[in-house]
Amino acid sequence: MKSKKRIIVYGVIAIAVIILILTGALHNSSKANSNSSVTTISVAGPDNNRPYTYPDNGKIGGYYGALLGRIDQDLKQYKFKQTTTAQNSVFVGLQSGKYDLAVSNWWYSKDRFNTYLHSTSNGLDDLRLITKKGGKTANSLKDIATKKLTLAPISTDDARYAFIQDYNKKNPKYKINLKGIGDQSAGDALKQVSNGQYDVAIYPYAAYKPVSSTSEGTKLRVSKSIGLENSYFLLNKSDKNEKLLKALNKELKKLKDNGYLGKITKKYLYENTFEFPGANSTFNTDPTK
Amino acid sequence: MLLDIKNIKKTLKNNHVLKGIDLSIEKGEVVAIIGPSGSGKTTLLRNINFLETADSGMMKFRDQQIDMAKPSKEKILWTRRHMAMVFQNYNLFKNKTALENISEGLIFGQNMEKKTAESLAEAALNQVGLIDKKDFYPSQLSGGQQQRIGIARATVLNPDIVLFDEPTSALDPELVGTVLRDMKQLAEKGQTMIVVTHQMSFARNVADRVIFFADGEIIEQGNAEEVFDHPQNDRTRKFLSAIAEDY
Amino acid sequence: MKLSRIITTLLSGLPVTLTLLVFSFIFAAAIGLGIAWLSLRNSAVCYNISRLYLGLVRGTPPLLMLLLAYYGLPKLFLLVGININDWSKLLFGIVGLSVGWSGYLSEAFRSAYLSVDQGQYEAALVVGMNPSDAFWRIIMPQTVLIALPNIENLVIGLVKATSLVYVIGLVDMYSSATDLSNQNQGVYQLEIFVVLALIYWMIVLAIEWVFRSIKKEYQYVTV
Amino acid sequence: MFDFRFAINSFPKILSVAPTTIVLSIIATLIGLILAILIVIIRERKIKVLDSIAAIYVSFIRGTPIIVQLYVVYYGLPQLLVALRGMGINTNSNGLPVILIAILAYSFNASANISESIRSAYHSVDYQQYEAAVSVGMKPTRAMTRIVVPQLITNLIPNFSNLFLDLIKDTAIVYNIGIVEIMAKANIMSSLGFKYIETYLDALIIYVFICWFFAKLFQIFEIIARKRISHTQEFV
């Protein structure tokens, strides 16, 4: 009996220590910035999300690398310190305040917007359904549900995962069977479609395009656009970042208007989604509606 | 009087291992302690060297007065640096060669230069005829060789007293002789020795004084003739007759 | 894809892998010794602290340990006013792995220490060594020798655990491999991972060779 | 910042998949144990050719990270099956359940590690025990099963316990191929709001508890086993 009591005491101490460490980890000490007029912002992006972000000599490469570079140039009062890491790790860091800003094609979810600060749209993703040539076809999410197609597992860290979750919540009648998986490249997932393991995969066009030219990719068929999704910057909640956010939003509007966003979209994402019909009305719509 | 111990007591798990022993040793004396196993002989030696701490007792060693129940660290170290001990299981340092086993105490116990220590150690090895084994590890040596190196390790320190804790008990019978010969040589040189032993021949032939020890008490002591040939106490007689064939 | 490209890309991560291995082992051994020392002191408090530490550390997957080191530690330091956010990732990787492995090493040391013959210590004392010399010159070397097979296993485990630092964005061999695979949309995955496995195997074979040599060197020291 | 409600709400959901982690670990360990016994027999009897193959197999598995092994099986197995089909053997590479791949990979991993532990436990049994058993007229196989194996098992338990705990922790990467165990569930719970710290804390508590539980369980086994052979040990 005595040992049982001791176990409980240990357990309590153990949990107390863990909580102490973690609350320590979360203690957000956004200290006053130094006197220097340049504020350093630490930015993180996933290391496995071509062509949006990938490691490039210690900095972020791809669409968001280019975008960040331009913003860094324009906003003289800020300096971006960039890093890439596993996607779940990006958010552990963002939540704990180690990173100020997380970049990749993050889409809307209510919880996300509640947890973090978010910018206005910084890009438009063109969503497609990819199926096997000669196999079952799908042209909408509803198709997947009604035709009872199997959807290739989606990385749980991926925006698409929450996107389907959201869809399922809104369309309880046409629910899609959603399976999660860890870090996985588009090449991998699409291979599973080309060899018939799954019927359909959902990807932004930019993720599908580079695969399409591989030997597995030539066996694939891609649907027409099934929708455009806005993506946003996510920021750790702090006074410093509130200020940054204002500057970012102003800058994003400028880059949209002067065509820079369109330019890098075409360059990195293989098509200029801003020229799509309805793009202008979709860009920066209020996602909560 | 080189060593004078008064009323040493030691209890282990409610068992009175030493029941108030008095023991004095003159310089140059060879004292053999005999008695049944478990009688506290080994414990007595270990207490003298502070490998265990007594419950009470006073010790006068050379000019130092030491409370055996509360010895200070300095006094312990000082005592050990003026005594040496030979173990039943040799306890040669397994990670050191024969030579290093001997030199280690000189370098780290007596702060000697490494060179000097090594030449002294070589001389000691020469004396026991094991110089050709100087780079061997204990595992490569026989029990007899290990124990002779153990003795060399103790004597090279030039101690005032050498304590022997059943030095031949773990040896194969044919190896006992070589070790006893080394011990006898040592005694003849006038080394003060306390020897706990089961070798009655050694006690009889070499020791100046024989102590019969039983149940944590000194039952009887005297020269070899007195103890072996005219024992006064019943228990001494019983013990001696039980091991009669050995002597 | 050319095999040579795979090999050179993966080998570019080798220095990071080796740095992690060497420093994590050194620090883990140091912490492990400290914990073993605590658990061997005649004090219930020390003993319980060491048990608690072991329970926590050994129950935590290395992956989580790395995340805690990278994101948790700077926050802890900030509480006492020290900013370590600018330390390199490598340092945090080393800290995470060191803490993770310290538990195993401390157990290896502890059990080895307990199996060193008590007579060795006594013999050192009676030739007049002071306790600390006796410990460092006689007991410690024998402890290490007894623990050697366990230590070898732990080093090998550590080699493999270094592959987990991808989680904090360090570019070691494993990360180089996944990045190379992603650059090619995962077409050459199998080839890349087989080559990666072979390189890790080589490292482990080299480590096993080193330990074999040490054992041979001390073959007569039978502790 | 730290959302306690989210952490508390997620806890039962993450806990609900703990059986996946535990069952996967146990099945892989059991299969691994069977393979390991085969390997030990091959290696201790020095069966020609097989002995060398087993040695290389064990060395390779011990020398490579589990995540790399997992991927090699994950990508390699379907290709192997396709190749076999090309050779006329009827295999279906599609729809190979990932759980099978995971069990295979972890079983291979366990088999190599366990076989080494069994071998060292076997060598730590005093050979005279076997000789004594044979000398009182026991058949060699009976001497093995009645005298050597019980002592071997007792020596094996602490190491086996460590290996099992390591395996449990190693399964934390299996979500990379799509199996929903503790880490995967933590990630899934987090994905909607991108809040990871809460769910990782939940996962950590669950792992620490599972490991503590099994460590205790094996300790009890060891005590029972030691009691049963203690009389033989005391006289050695």
Side-chain angles (χ1 to χ4, degrees), chain D residues 31-164:
Chain D
I31 298 175
L33 183 62
I34 294 166
L35 288 174
I37 292 170
L38 282 176
I39 293 170
V40 170
I41 292 173
I42 288 170
R43 296 200 62 189
E44 290 302 321
R45 294 220 169 146
K46 308 235 182 311
I47 298 172
K48 267 182 207 157
V49 187
L50 284 180
D51 182 21
S52 324
I53 294 174
I56 293 171
Y57 167 85
V58 169
S59 169
F60 178 75
I61 297 222
R62 269 165 49 88
T64 49
I66 176 78
I67 191 163
V68 178
Q69 289 163 17
L70 191 66
Y71 277 133
V72 169
V73 175
Y74 184 56
Y75 299 123
L77 198 63
Q79 292 199 12
L80 184 71
L81 293 179
V82 169
L84 286 177
R85 195 163 40 183
M87 286 155 55
I89 300 165
N90 191 15
T91 52
N92 180 13
S93 66
N94 300 339
L96 202 64
V98 279
I99 186 78
L100 201 70
I101 289 171
I103 288 175
L104 266 179
Y106 282 94
S107 300
F108 289 155
N109 187 269
S111 71
N113 293 325
I114 296 175
S115 81
E116 285 297 281
S117 290
I118 295 180
R119 266 160 47 97
S120 82
Y122 173 72
H123 290 299
S124 70
V125 175
D126 191 350
Y127 187 66
Q128 288 170 3
Q129 292 284 313
Y130 173 77
E131 287 179 337
V134 178
S135 76
V136 298
M138 279 193 197
K139 281 189 204 152
T141 46
R142 168 148 292 207
M144 270 291 179
T145 54
R146 300 223 18 115
I147 306 298
V148 177
V149 170
Q151 296 187 34
L152 180 156
I153 289 174
T154 315
N155 294 342
L156 179 65
I157 292 173
N159 248 328
F160 192 82
S161 165
N162 282 340
L163 290 178
F164 184 70

Side-chain angles (χ1 to χ4, degrees), chain B residues 141-178:
Chain B
L141 301 168
S142 74
Q145 289 167 335
Q146 287 190 55
Q147 191 58 301
R148 287 161 70 199
I149 290 168
I151 295 171
R153 173 173 77 177
T155 52
V156 79
L157 300 169
N158 202 13
D160 292 314
I161 302 180
V162 184
L163 310 173
F164 288 83
D165 182 12
E166 304 190 21
T168 55
S169 302
L171 292 174
D172 291 335
E174 74 271 20
L175 300 174
V176 171
T178 56

Side-chain angles (χ1 to χ4, degrees), chain A residues 73-89:
Chain A
Q73 214 174 48
D74 288 356
L75 302 182
K76 299 287 183 226
Q77 70 274 40
Y78 289 107
K79 196 172 131 263
F80 291 153
K81 204 180 86 192
Q82 304 180 16
T83 187
T84 56
T85 181
Q87 182 163 308
N88 49 3
S89 185

Side-chain angles (χ1 to χ4, degrees), chain B residues 114-130:
Chain B
K114 199 175 170 213
K115 278 254 169 71
T116 335
E118 275 175 357
S119 62
L120 275 177
E122 282 186 12
L125 272 177
N126 238 329
Q127 205 154 29
V128 291
L130 291 171

Side-chain angles (χ1 to χ4, degrees), chain B residues 46 49 51 77 80-81 83-87 89-96 101 104-106 108-110 137-140 153-154 157, chain C residues 115-131 133 136-142 145 217-223:
Chain B
R46 292 169 61 82
N49 216 342
L51 292 176
L77 203 58
R80 284 177 181 154
R81 286 183 176 172
M83 280 188 196
M85 186 163 180
V86 175
F87 294 87
N89 299 317
Y90 337 128
N91 284 348
L92 291 193
F93 305 129
K94 293 171 183 173
N95 57 327
K96 303 282 173 192
N101 258 283
E104 202 78 353
L106 293 171
F108 291 92
Q110 310 197 338
Y137 284 96
S139 69
Q140 295 166 283
R153 173 173 77 177
L157 300 169
Chain C
S115 59
V116 172
D117 186 359
Q118 180 67 22
Q120 295 286 311
Y121 185 60
E122 293 181 350
L125 293 182
V126 302
V127 300
M129 286 193 192
N130 62 41
D133 278 338
W136 287 108
R137 299 205 39 93
I138 306 298
I139 303 303
M140 199 56 198
Q142 297 192 26
L145 227 58
E217 178 83 3
Y218 292 102
Q219 58 181 321
Y220 296 117
V221 183
T222 47
V223 282

Side-chain angles (χ1 to χ4, degrees), chain B:
Chain B
M1 200 69 61
L2 180 61
L3 178 72
D4 192 20
I5 294 169
K6 286 263 179 304
N7 198 23
I8 170 171
K9 284 184 183 162
K10 172 79 177 171
T11 313
L12 267 178
K13 290 176 192 161
N14 297 325
N15 188 10
H16 296 279
V17 192
L18 299 176
K19 300 176 184 164
I21 309 246
D22 296 333
L23 179 69
S24 329
I25 311 282
E26 296 288 351
K27 193 168 183 324
E29 203 180 5
V30 176
V31 175
I33 303 179
I34 61 170
S37 40
S39 58
K41 307 179 300 268
T42 296
T43 309
L44 178 63
L45 286 196
R46 292 169 61 82
N47 275 288
I48 294 175
N49 216 342
F50 301 109
L51 292 176
E52 290 172 29
T53 310
D55 300 339
S56 68
M58 288 302 292
M59 174 166 122
K60 185 167 179 283
F61 177 38
R62 286 173 52 157
D63 56 344
Q64 296 278 330
Q65 196 74 34
I66 305 168
D67 182 348
M68 293 186 79
K70 290 191 237 41
S72 69
K73 277 184 187 165
E74 293 75 26
K75 292 233 166 127
I76 291 177
L77 203 58
W78 178 84
T79 308
R80 284 177 181 154
R81 286 183 176 172
H82 291 90
M83 280 188 196
M85 186 163 180
V86 175
F87 294 87
Q88 179 176 359
N89 299 317
Y90 337 128
N91 284 348
L92 291 193
F93 305 129
K94 293 171 183 173
N95 57 327
K96 303 282 173 192
T97 60
L99 186 79
E100 288 168 338
N101 258 283
I102 299 173
S103 64
E104 202 78 353
L106 293 171
I107 301 171
F108 291 92
Q110 310 197 338
N111 301 319
M112 204 175 272
E113 285 281 320
K114 199 175 170 213
K115 278 254 169 71
T116 335
E118 275 175 357
S119 62
L120 275 177
E122 282 186 12
L125 272 177
N126 238 329
Q127 205 154 29
V128 291
L130 291 171
I131 188 69
D132 54 326
K133 307 282 189 211
K134 68 174 193 166
D135 291 327
F136 282 42
Y137 284 96
S139 69
Q140 295 166 283
L141 301 168
S142 74
Q145 289 167 335
Q146 287 190 55
Q147 191 58 301
R148 287 161 70 199
I149 290 168
I151 295 171
R153 173 173 77 177
T155 52
V156 79
L157 300 169
N158 202 13
D160 292 314
I161 302 180
V162 184
L163 310 173
F164 288 83
D165 182 12
E166 304 190 21
T168 55
S169 302
L171 292 174
D172 291 335
E174 74 271 20
L175 300 174
V176 171
T178 56
V179 172
L180 288 181
R181 210 180 312 130
D182 284 359
M183 288 168 65
K184 198 174 166 194
Q185 263 178 25
L186 206 56
E188 281 162 0
K189 270 195 239 157
Q191 173 73 56
T192 314
M193 295 158 69
I194 305 178
V195 184
V196 168
T197 186
H198 290 298
Q199 289 293 327
M200 296 307 148
S201 58
F202 178 84
R204 181 180 261 274
N205 299 326
V206 184
D208 300 316
R209 179 158 43 123
V210 177
I211 295 177
F212 177 67
F213 204 94
D215 291 332
E217 288 176 295
I218 293 176
I219 306 294
E220 191 163 351
Q221 56 179 311
N223 62 34
E225 204 182 323
E226 286 166 357
V227 174
F228 284 111
D229 298 336
H230 310 288
Q232 302 296 307
N233 193 295
D234 249 6
R235 286 157 82 181
T236 320
R237 256 177 251 136
K238 263 190 197 154
F239 175 74
L240 290 172
S241 66
I243 55 160
E245 60 270 27
D246 191 51
Y247 75 106

Side-chain angles (χ1 to χ4, degrees), chain C residues 28-29 31-37 39-40 50-51 53-54 58 101-112 154:
Chain C
I31 303 171
L33 277 176
I35 297 299
W37 175 78
S39 72
L40 288 165
S50 71
R51 282 286 113 184
Y53 179 85
L54 287 182
R58 293 175 66 195
W101 250 248
S102 62
Y104 298 110
L105 276 164
S106 103
E107 281 300 85
F109 286 134
R110 198 175 78 96
S111 66
L154 289 172

